[in-house]
Amino acid sequence: MLFRSGLSNDPVNIAKCGLVVESGNADEIVKGILIFKSMNTSELRKMGLNGYSYLMKNQTYKVIGEKYYSIVQKFI
């Protein structure tokens, strides 16, 4: 995944599932694409599995719902 983010808690870096580049910077985008092109299948697969694992642990409806419920419970 080639991603642009200004977030301090950027999910791509946290999950180690891709590269983050400066938005609108064509040179950086090209560099990112070339990095992916030079990676072997196992490196790409690892990035993909990292992203999937992060997603399943942190971003499913169930996980987000439980976090939201936990926050709401503090105000009830």
Side-chain angles (χ1 to χ4, degrees):
M1 172 184 285
L2 195 56
F3 183 70
R4 188 279 174 212
S5 172
L7 300 172
S8 60
N9 60 344
D10 165 357
V12 173
N13 279 327
I14 292 169
K16 296 180 174 87
C17 66
L19 301 171
V20 178
V21 298
E22 181 184 345
S23 179
N25 186 331
D27 291 334
E28 288 297 311
I29 294 169
V30 169
K31 285 179 189 176
I33 291 169
L34 292 174
I35 289 170
F36 281 127
K37 184 179 176 201
S38 70
M39 295 174 87
N40 64 43
T41 304
S42 66
E43 292 170 312
L44 293 169
R45 178 180 289 280
K46 181 160 177 45
M47 271 191 185
L49 291 173
N50 288 347
Y52 180 78
S53 176
Y54 178 84
L55 180 71
M56 297 310 291
K57 288 179 185 173
N58 299 285
Q59 301 295 314
T60 64
Y61 286 118
K62 182 178 191 266
V63 170
I64 293 170
E66 288 170 353
K67 288 178 184 178
Y68 181 75
Y69 180 77
S70 172
I71 292 168
V72 169
Q73 284 298 102
K74 295 176 185 176
F75 297 102
I76 296 178

